Amino acid sequence: MRLILVRHGQTYNNASNTIDTIYPGAVLTEEGWTQANDVVGTLLGFEPGAVWASNLTRTQQTATPLATRLGLDINVHDGFREIEAGTFEGGTSDAHYRGYSEIIVDWIQGYMDAVLGADPAVTGTTVLERFDDAVRAAEGQGAATVVVFAHAAVISFWVGMRGGVTVEKEDFIPLANTGIVALSGSLDEGYHLESWMHVNHKLPDDGPMKELAEEISDEL
């Protein structure tokens, strides 16, 4: 399956640099709606057969122009939701963002049982499992290409664990609003990262992206 992961458009909390991970989350700004409409042309080039989104408002809003153009329903799965920030929720300081992102970095580096935001239910293991469950549901739909609208941190983490490449910190490009990540494969056989934003990856298939989440904090 071709799996196209898309970050949602700009929200009011993005604009105010506020960590926002709980349901239902902030809505799109006017700029966010413009981004959602502008990305449709690029996404149509992938010839998607299904559209999915997380259970948060901003991803479903971002998915609406594409789904409308294709005449498809938006499939919603809460496994695609953002990584819950816990005690960092609503934070606006560098310390809040750093505390949030450093745990995600730990997960990618192998410390999967580290707890994020003082919530024992939020670990690398639980987040990976629920995103995998959502991807498996999308695979089961049978479409050759699926577009999923999700969130910067969870996309970065999941691609870091499942994308099959290593990217050093200095090579990592933060995922912008409506930034596109393309992969191919399956959970059973493994996914291969084809492109991140506009960059085609030609890196060795030697493991997860160890440093991928280092700059996630700027891109929630």
Side-chain angles (χ1 to χ4, degrees), residues 189-211:
E189 297 182 3
Y191 275 95
H192 171 72
L193 179 63
E194 297 177 351
S195 64
W196 179 278
M197 300 281 283
H198 60 285
V199 179
N200 293 323
H201 285 272
K202 298 178 180 178
L203 300 171
D205 295 343
D206 59 357
M209 290 182 278
K210 299 297 185 182
E211 303 296 335

PDB file of all heavy atoms in Angstrom, residues 189-211:
ATOM      1  N   GLU A 189       5.132  -6.519   6.091  1.00  0.00           N
ATOM      2  CA  GLU A 189       6.371  -6.614   5.315  1.00  0.00           C
ATOM      3  C   GLU A 189       7.325  -5.458   5.577  1.00  0.00           C
ATOM      4  O   GLU A 189       8.492  -5.511   5.180  1.00  0.00           O
ATOM      5  CB  GLU A 189       6.041  -6.690   3.825  1.00  0.00           C
ATOM      6  CG  GLU A 189       5.239  -7.935   3.462  1.00  0.00           C
ATOM      7  CD  GLU A 189       4.954  -8.020   1.973  1.00  0.00           C
ATOM      8  OE1 GLU A 189       5.437  -7.135   1.222  1.00  0.00           O
ATOM      9  OE2 GLU A 189       4.253  -8.961   1.561  1.00  0.00           O
ATOM     10  N   GLY A 190       6.844  -4.420   6.238  1.00  0.00           N
ATOM     11  CA  GLY A 190       7.661  -3.249   6.522  1.00  0.00           C
ATOM     12  C   GLY A 190       7.380  -2.115   5.554  1.00  0.00           C
ATOM     13  O   GLY A 190       7.070  -2.343   4.377  1.00  0.00           O
ATOM     14  N   TYR A 191       7.453  -0.890   6.076  1.00  0.00           N
ATOM     15  CA  TYR A 191       7.276   0.297   5.236  1.00  0.00           C
ATOM     16  C   TYR A 191       8.628   0.897   4.870  1.00  0.00           C
ATOM     17  O   TYR A 191       9.599   0.806   5.630  1.00  0.00           O
ATOM     18  CB  TYR A 191       6.426   1.347   5.962  1.00  0.00           C
ATOM     19  CG  TYR A 191       4.941   1.101   5.793  1.00  0.00           C
ATOM     20  CD1 TYR A 191       4.223   0.393   6.755  1.00  0.00           C
ATOM     21  CD2 TYR A 191       4.274   1.552   4.664  1.00  0.00           C
ATOM     22  CE1 TYR A 191       2.865   0.149   6.590  1.00  0.00           C
ATOM     23  CE2 TYR A 191       2.912   1.321   4.493  1.00  0.00           C
ATOM     24  CZ  TYR A 191       2.217   0.616   5.458  1.00  0.00           C
ATOM     25  OH  TYR A 191       0.877   0.371   5.288  1.00  0.00           O
ATOM     26  N   HIS A 192       8.669   1.521   3.707  1.00  0.00           N
ATOM     27  CA  HIS A 192       9.865   2.214   3.238  1.00  0.00           C
ATOM     28  C   HIS A 192       9.518   3.678   3.009  1.00  0.00           C
ATOM     29  O   HIS A 192       8.555   4.000   2.295  1.00  0.00           O
ATOM     30  CB  HIS A 192      10.367   1.601   1.927  1.00  0.00           C
ATOM     31  CG  HIS A 192      11.464   2.402   1.283  1.00  0.00           C
ATOM     32  ND1 HIS A 192      12.745   2.450   1.787  1.00  0.00           N
ATOM     33  CD2 HIS A 192      11.459   3.209   0.189  1.00  0.00           C
ATOM     34  CE1 HIS A 192      13.477   3.233   1.025  1.00  0.00           C
ATOM     35  NE2 HIS A 192      12.720   3.710   0.060  1.00  0.00           N
ATOM     36  N   LEU A 193      10.273   4.567   3.634  1.00  0.00           N
ATOM     37  CA  LEU A 193      10.064   5.995   3.463  1.00  0.00           C
ATOM     38  C   LEU A 193      10.525   6.430   2.078  1.00  0.00           C
ATOM     39  O   LEU A 193      11.690   6.280   1.717  1.00  0.00           O
ATOM     40  CB  LEU A 193      10.837   6.767   4.546  1.00  0.00           C
ATOM     41  CG  LEU A 193      10.748   8.289   4.488  1.00  0.00           C
ATOM     42  CD1 LEU A 193       9.312   8.763   4.693  1.00  0.00           C
ATOM     43  CD2 LEU A 193      11.675   8.917   5.529  1.00  0.00           C
ATOM     44  N   GLU A 194       9.588   6.980   1.303  1.00  0.00           N
ATOM     45  CA  GLU A 194       9.913   7.470  -0.033  1.00  0.00           C
ATOM     46  C   GLU A 194      10.285   8.946  -0.021  1.00  0.00           C
ATOM     47  O   GLU A 194      11.223   9.368  -0.705  1.00  0.00           O
ATOM     48  CB  GLU A 194       8.719   7.259  -0.971  1.00  0.00           C
ATOM     49  CG  GLU A 194       8.347   5.805  -1.186  1.00  0.00           C
ATOM     50  CD  GLU A 194       7.125   5.648  -2.069  1.00  0.00           C
ATOM     51  OE1 GLU A 194       6.479   6.681  -2.365  1.00  0.00           O
ATOM     52  OE2 GLU A 194       6.814   4.510  -2.456  1.00  0.00           O
ATOM     53  N   SER A 195       9.539   9.734   0.714  1.00  0.00           N
ATOM     54  CA  SER A 195       9.850  11.165   0.760  1.00  0.00           C
ATOM     55  C   SER A 195       9.291  11.788   2.031  1.00  0.00           C
ATOM     56  O   SER A 195       8.280  11.335   2.578  1.00  0.00           O
ATOM     57  CB  SER A 195       9.283  11.891  -0.463  1.00  0.00           C
ATOM     58  OG  SER A 195       7.865  11.825  -0.473  1.00  0.00           O
ATOM     59  N   TRP A 196       9.992  12.810   2.498  1.00  0.00           N
ATOM     60  CA  TRP A 196       9.585  13.601   3.657  1.00  0.00           C
ATOM     61  C   TRP A 196       9.555  15.047   3.191  1.00  0.00           C
ATOM     62  O   TRP A 196      10.563  15.573   2.774  1.00  0.00           O
ATOM     63  CB  TRP A 196      10.592  13.413   4.785  1.00  0.00           C
ATOM     64  CG  TRP A 196      10.281  14.206   6.029  1.00  0.00           C
ATOM     65  CD1 TRP A 196      10.574  15.523   6.255  1.00  0.00           C
ATOM     66  CD2 TRP A 196       9.606  13.732   7.190  1.00  0.00           C
ATOM     67  NE1 TRP A 196      10.117  15.899   7.494  1.00  0.00           N
ATOM     68  CE2 TRP A 196       9.527  14.816   8.092  1.00  0.00           C
ATOM     69  CE3 TRP A 196       9.075  12.494   7.562  1.00  0.00           C
ATOM     70  CZ2 TRP A 196       8.929  14.703   9.340  1.00  0.00           C
ATOM     71  CZ3 TRP A 196       8.485  12.382   8.808  1.00  0.00           C
ATOM     72  CH2 TRP A 196       8.416  13.468   9.679  1.00  0.00           C
ATOM     73  N   MET A 197       8.357  15.671   3.256  1.00  0.00           N
ATOM     74  CA  MET A 197       8.189  16.975   2.632  1.00  0.00           C
ATOM     75  C   MET A 197       8.579  16.828   1.154  1.00  0.00           C
ATOM     76  O   MET A 197       8.118  15.940   0.476  1.00  0.00           O
ATOM     77  CB  MET A 197       9.006  18.027   3.372  1.00  0.00           C
ATOM     78  CG  MET A 197       8.616  18.173   4.837  1.00  0.00           C
ATOM     79  SD  MET A 197       7.111  19.137   5.110  1.00  0.00           S
ATOM     80  CE  MET A 197       7.753  20.786   4.881  1.00  0.00           C
ATOM     81  N   HIS A 198       9.494  17.662   0.671  1.00  0.00           N
ATOM     82  CA  HIS A 198       9.873  17.622  -0.742  1.00  0.00           C
ATOM     83  C   HIS A 198      11.134  16.815  -0.984  1.00  0.00           C
ATOM     84  O   HIS A 198      11.652  16.780  -2.097  1.00  0.00           O
ATOM     85  CB  HIS A 198      10.110  19.045  -1.248  1.00  0.00           C
ATOM     86  CG  HIS A 198      11.202  19.757  -0.496  1.00  0.00           C
ATOM     87  ND1 HIS A 198      11.004  20.250   0.776  1.00  0.00           N
ATOM     88  CD2 HIS A 198      12.482  20.026  -0.807  1.00  0.00           C
ATOM     89  CE1 HIS A 198      12.119  20.808   1.203  1.00  0.00           C
ATOM     90  NE2 HIS A 198      13.038  20.685   0.265  1.00  0.00           N
ATOM     91  N   VAL A 199      11.657  16.139   0.055  1.00  0.00           N
ATOM     92  CA  VAL A 199      12.948  15.462  -0.056  1.00  0.00           C
ATOM     93  C   VAL A 199      12.751  13.987  -0.330  1.00  0.00           C
ATOM     94  O   VAL A 199      12.066  13.290   0.419  1.00  0.00           O
ATOM     95  CB  VAL A 199      13.775  15.644   1.237  1.00  0.00           C
ATOM     96  CG1 VAL A 199      15.103  14.905   1.124  1.00  0.00           C
ATOM     97  CG2 VAL A 199      14.009  17.123   1.502  1.00  0.00           C
ATOM     98  N   ASN A 200      13.348  13.481  -1.404  1.00  0.00           N
ATOM     99  CA  ASN A 200      13.344  12.052  -1.677  1.00  0.00           C
ATOM    100  C   ASN A 200      14.488  11.409  -0.905  1.00  0.00           C
ATOM    101  O   ASN A 200      15.632  11.862  -0.989  1.00  0.00           O
ATOM    102  CB  ASN A 200      13.524  11.771  -3.173  1.00  0.00           C
ATOM    103  CG  ASN A 200      12.329  12.234  -3.974  1.00  0.00           C
ATOM    104  OD1 ASN A 200      11.201  12.132  -3.525  1.00  0.00           O
ATOM    105  ND2 ASN A 200      12.590  12.753  -5.162  1.00  0.00           N
ATOM    106  N   HIS A 201      14.186  10.348  -0.175  1.00  0.00           N
ATOM    107  CA  HIS A 201      15.193   9.732   0.679  1.00  0.00           C
ATOM    108  C   HIS A 201      15.945   8.638  -0.069  1.00  0.00           C
ATOM    109  O   HIS A 201      15.353   7.742  -0.640  1.00  0.00           O
ATOM    110  CB  HIS A 201      14.538   9.169   1.939  1.00  0.00           C
ATOM    111  CG  HIS A 201      14.164  10.253   2.891  1.00  0.00           C
ATOM    112  ND1 HIS A 201      15.028  10.738   3.836  1.00  0.00           N
ATOM    113  CD2 HIS A 201      13.035  10.986   3.014  1.00  0.00           C
ATOM    114  CE1 HIS A 201      14.437  11.713   4.513  1.00  0.00           C
ATOM    115  NE2 HIS A 201      13.232  11.883   4.037  1.00  0.00           N
ATOM    116  N   LYS A 202      17.273   8.742  -0.033  1.00  0.00           N
ATOM    117  CA  LYS A 202      18.152   7.733  -0.624  1.00  0.00           C
ATOM    118  C   LYS A 202      19.177   7.332   0.438  1.00  0.00           C
ATOM    119  O   LYS A 202      20.383   7.388   0.217  1.00  0.00           O
ATOM    120  CB  LYS A 202      18.834   8.287  -1.873  1.00  0.00           C
ATOM    121  CG  LYS A 202      17.849   8.678  -2.977  1.00  0.00           C
ATOM    122  CD  LYS A 202      18.567   9.257  -4.181  1.00  0.00           C
ATOM    123  CE  LYS A 202      17.578   9.647  -5.266  1.00  0.00           C
ATOM    124  NZ  LYS A 202      18.266  10.251  -6.436  1.00  0.00           N
ATOM    125  N   LEU A 203      18.670   6.952   1.585  1.00  0.00           N
ATOM    126  CA  LEU A 203      19.520   6.632   2.718  1.00  0.00           C
ATOM    127  C   LEU A 203      19.508   5.138   2.983  1.00  0.00           C
ATOM    128  O   LEU A 203      18.572   4.439   2.601  1.00  0.00           O
ATOM    129  CB  LEU A 203      19.039   7.399   3.958  1.00  0.00           C
ATOM    130  CG  LEU A 203      19.060   8.923   3.810  1.00  0.00           C
ATOM    131  CD1 LEU A 203      18.366   9.574   4.988  1.00  0.00           C
ATOM    132  CD2 LEU A 203      20.494   9.420   3.706  1.00  0.00           C
ATOM    133  N   PRO A 204      20.528   4.595   3.648  1.00  0.00           N
ATOM    134  CA  PRO A 204      20.581   3.155   3.912  1.00  0.00           C
ATOM    135  C   PRO A 204      19.390   2.690   4.744  1.00  0.00           C
ATOM    136  O   PRO A 204      18.947   3.380   5.657  1.00  0.00           O
ATOM    137  CB  PRO A 204      21.891   3.007   4.703  1.00  0.00           C
ATOM    138  CG  PRO A 204      22.702   4.191   4.352  1.00  0.00           C
ATOM    139  CD  PRO A 204      21.713   5.306   4.135  1.00  0.00           C
ATOM    140  N   ASP A 205      18.861   1.533   4.424  1.00  0.00           N
ATOM    141  CA  ASP A 205      17.757   0.944   5.172  1.00  0.00           C
ATOM    142  C   ASP A 205      18.303   0.196   6.384  1.00  0.00           C
ATOM    143  O   ASP A 205      18.263  -1.023   6.459  1.00  0.00           O
ATOM    144  CB  ASP A 205      16.958  -0.026   4.288  1.00  0.00           C
ATOM    145  CG  ASP A 205      16.285   0.691   3.140  1.00  0.00           C
ATOM    146  OD1 ASP A 205      16.166   1.919   3.206  1.00  0.00           O
ATOM    147  OD2 ASP A 205      15.892   0.013   2.182  1.00  0.00           O
ATOM    148  N   ASP A 206      18.829   0.944   7.347  1.00  0.00           N
ATOM    149  CA  ASP A 206      19.520   0.287   8.446  1.00  0.00           C
ATOM    150  C   ASP A 206      18.915   0.594   9.815  1.00  0.00           C
ATOM    151  O   ASP A 206      19.599   0.570  10.818  1.00  0.00           O
ATOM    152  CB  ASP A 206      21.002   0.661   8.440  1.00  0.00           C
ATOM    153  CG  ASP A 206      21.225   2.163   8.575  1.00  0.00           C
ATOM    154  OD1 ASP A 206      20.239   2.918   8.619  1.00  0.00           O
ATOM    155  OD2 ASP A 206      22.401   2.568   8.653  1.00  0.00           O
ATOM    156  N   GLY A 207      17.621   0.901   9.862  1.00  0.00           N
ATOM    157  CA  GLY A 207      17.001   1.071  11.172  1.00  0.00           C
ATOM    158  C   GLY A 207      16.208   2.341  11.275  1.00  0.00           C
ATOM    159  O   GLY A 207      16.068   3.088  10.312  1.00  0.00           O
ATOM    160  N   PRO A 208      15.649   2.594  12.461  1.00  0.00           N
ATOM    161  CA  PRO A 208      14.800   3.770  12.666  1.00  0.00           C
ATOM    162  C   PRO A 208      15.587   5.067  12.621  1.00  0.00           C
ATOM    163  O   PRO A 208      16.804   5.079  12.772  1.00  0.00           O
ATOM    164  CB  PRO A 208      14.209   3.537  14.061  1.00  0.00           C
ATOM    165  CG  PRO A 208      15.205   2.670  14.734  1.00  0.00           C
ATOM    166  CD  PRO A 208      15.747   1.764  13.660  1.00  0.00           C
ATOM    167  N   MET A 209      14.889   6.158  12.429  1.00  0.00           N
ATOM    168  CA  MET A 209      15.525   7.468  12.383  1.00  0.00           C
ATOM    169  C   MET A 209      15.827   7.919  13.813  1.00  0.00           C
ATOM    170  O   MET A 209      14.995   8.488  14.494  1.00  0.00           O
ATOM    171  CB  MET A 209      14.620   8.468  11.663  1.00  0.00           C
ATOM    172  CG  MET A 209      14.509   8.190  10.189  1.00  0.00           C
ATOM    173  SD  MET A 209      13.506   9.381   9.318  1.00  0.00           S
ATOM    174  CE  MET A 209      11.888   8.724   9.653  1.00  0.00           C
ATOM    175  N   LYS A 210      17.029   7.676  14.256  1.00  0.00           N
ATOM    176  CA  LYS A 210      17.392   7.837  15.661  1.00  0.00           C
ATOM    177  C   LYS A 210      17.233   9.259  16.169  1.00  0.00           C
ATOM    178  O   LYS A 210      16.974   9.482  17.338  1.00  0.00           O
ATOM    179  CB  LYS A 210      18.837   7.377  15.883  1.00  0.00           C
ATOM    180  CG  LYS A 210      19.086   5.918  15.553  1.00  0.00           C
ATOM    181  CD  LYS A 210      18.279   4.993  16.433  1.00  0.00           C
ATOM    182  CE  LYS A 210      18.630   3.544  16.166  1.00  0.00           C
ATOM    183  NZ  LYS A 210      17.821   2.624  16.972  1.00  0.00           N
ATOM    184  N   GLU A 211      17.423  10.222  15.295  1.00  0.00           N
ATOM    185  CA  GLU A 211      17.369  11.604  15.749  1.00  0.00           C
ATOM    186  C   GLU A 211      16.139  12.341  15.244  1.00  0.00           C
ATOM    187  O   GLU A 211      16.020  13.548  15.399  1.00  0.00           O
ATOM    188  CB  GLU A 211      18.630  12.353  15.267  1.00  0.00           C
ATOM    189  CG  GLU A 211      19.933  11.734  15.706  1.00  0.00           C
ATOM    190  CD  GLU A 211      20.093  11.751  17.219  1.00  0.00           C
ATOM    191  OE1 GLU A 211      19.471  12.614  17.855  1.00  0.00           O
ATOM    192  OE2 GLU A 211      20.823  10.893  17.743  1.00  0.00           O
TER     193      GLU A 211
END
